[in-house]
Amino acid sequence: MKYLHAMIRVHDLDATSKFFTEGLGLKEIRRMDNEAGKFTLVYFGAPANPESEIELTYNWGSDEDYGSARNFGHLAFEVDDIYATCAHLQSLGITINRPPRDGRMAFVRTPDLISIELLQKGAALPLQEPWTSMANVGAW
């Protein structure tokens, strides 16, 4: 058996694609538009392991409420510098819902409200402001 991908339904394919590519640095692996089924599938991979993919599914014209149920927890990514990653995401207008106060872990959400956990590669970084004093925002 081989793990292939996790699928996320999205309403705003462009904004969520930008989050994964410009925000997190993932690469678009492939894209498929299905005229008959009226949907688009876009697959993304992290540079270090592109074979473990995230599939975004965009159903054309759908207004279905995908909700924010907690039965799907989150996607997790290891990052080289959690502070730099969070600062970069903030510069793109992304809210840091759970700041990396401990130098090790943060949470953000995609434009479609999917929780993303960011984990510092290796040991936690030394505590650093403004992160140490930042409060949680919203839910993740």
Side-chain angles (χ1 to χ4, degrees):
M1 182 181 299
K2 178 181 176 184
Y3 172 79
L4 296 176
H5 64 265
M7 184 273 273
I8 302 169
R9 288 181 181 88
V10 300
H11 285 294
D12 190 334
L13 183 59
D14 292 336
T16 304
S17 293
K18 181 179 177 180
F19 173 87
F20 282 114
T21 57
E22 293 182 28
L24 295 181
L26 274 63
K27 305 294 182 203
E28 183 175 319
I29 306 296
R30 63 188 180 284
R31 178 182 293 248
M32 183 185 81
D33 292 317
N34 186 307
E35 297 282 336
K38 298 187 184 318
F39 64 85
T40 299
L41 304 178
V42 185
Y43 295 85
F44 298 88
N49 59 335
E51 70 283 355
S52 297
E53 299 173 326
I54 296 171
E55 171 194 322
L56 300 185
T57 297
Y58 173 67
N59 295 302
W60 306 350
S62 174
D63 62 356
E64 179 182 349
D65 180 7
Y66 297 139
S68 58
R70 299 210 27 102
N71 62 337
F72 176 84
H74 60 267
L75 300 173
F77 293 92
E78 179 180 77
V79 298
D80 289 330
D81 182 330
I82 196 152
Y83 297 136
T85 300
C86 288
H88 175 68
L89 290 168
Q90 278 186 318
S91 76
L92 295 174
I94 304 295
T95 299
I96 309 301
N97 300 98
R98 195 279 191 193
R101 289 185 296 275
D102 56 3
R104 190 184 85 68
M105 179 181 69
F107 276 89
V108 297
R109 293 180 86 175
T110 72
D112 282 286
L113 304 179
I114 302 299
S115 290
I116 305 293
E117 180 180 22
L118 304 172
L119 293 168
Q120 174 61 42
K121 182 177 183 178
L125 296 181
L127 302 183
Q128 187 179 97
E129 291 295 345
W131 311 108
T132 307
S133 300
M134 288 179 113
N136 293 341
V137 177
W140 62 89

